[in-house]
Amino acid sequence: MTLKVHKKPHKFRPIVCCAGTFLNCLSKWVDYHLQKLKQFIPSYLKDSGDLLHHLKQFHRLPPTAFLFTADAQSMYTNINTDHALEVIGKWLDDLESSGQLEDKGISIPITALKEALTLVMKNNIFEFGDMYF
């Protein structure tokens, strides 16, 4: 268990080592291919420095503009896995059929990627005490 000291009240998060497991290896393969696709997500920001770079291009924000931050609560446990797989699968199919991947010289086995993503997202389960996550 690790303590999330930045949360009030403090919360614990279980830590599970899956190094060397089949799902760990498959997850790395999925991540390797998905990393190539970040460039196709218009809202993607690499980090806070990237955000500052984009904001500086405005030179001056309109007086009615507001900057704010948000924190997702239990984001991963609240993702509907079936819906996520459907949306990501459609996005991958659209990238492939539109020729965008080929135009950028990106070669990704889309069918295998979707199948691997399904295996990872539907089988990444662990037991802690009498609870399953």
Side-chain angles (χ1 to χ4, degrees):
M1 294 292 264
T2 186
L3 181 63
K4 295 176 79 174
V5 295
H6 64 286
K7 299 285 185 178
K8 300 293 183 210
H10 296 315
K11 295 184 178 186
F12 288 95
R13 173 184 290 164
I15 302 292
V16 178
C17 179
C18 62
T21 66
F22 173 73
L23 280 182
N24 180 248
C25 296
L26 192 59
S27 294
K28 287 180 179 182
W29 184 85
V30 167
D31 181 65
Y32 170 79
H33 287 294
L34 290 179
Q35 290 296 322
K36 299 176 194 177
L37 305 178
K38 294 184 293 193
Q39 62 185 295
F40 297 104
I41 304 172
S43 60
Y44 172 75
L45 294 169
K46 180 179 179 183
D47 52 27
S48 56
D50 192 24
L51 172 63
L52 291 174
H53 170 76
H54 286 294
L55 288 174
K56 287 178 183 175
Q57 292 178 358
F58 287 110
H59 301 293
R60 186 178 194 118
L61 294 175
T64 56
F66 289 96
L67 296 178
F68 61 91
T69 63
D71 186 16
Q73 187 173 21
S74 300
M75 182 172 70
Y76 296 109
T77 56
N78 287 314
I79 294 174
N80 179 314
T81 302
D82 291 328
H83 180 69
L85 290 169
E86 180 183 335
V87 170
I88 294 167
K90 182 179 179 337
W91 178 64
L92 292 170
D93 290 340
D94 289 349
L95 282 175
E96 184 177 46
S97 66
S98 68
Q100 292 180 69
L101 298 177
E102 189 176 335
D103 291 348
K104 297 275 186 176
I106 297 173
S107 177
I108 295 177
I110 296 296
T111 301
L113 180 58
K114 291 191 310 185
E115 290 176 10
L117 188 59
T118 299
L119 280 171
V120 169
M121 290 183 69
K122 289 195 172 228
N123 295 289
N124 202 5
I125 301 166
F126 68 93
E127 179 183 2
F128 183 78
D130 62 348
M131 299 187 315
Y132 291 88
F133 298 89

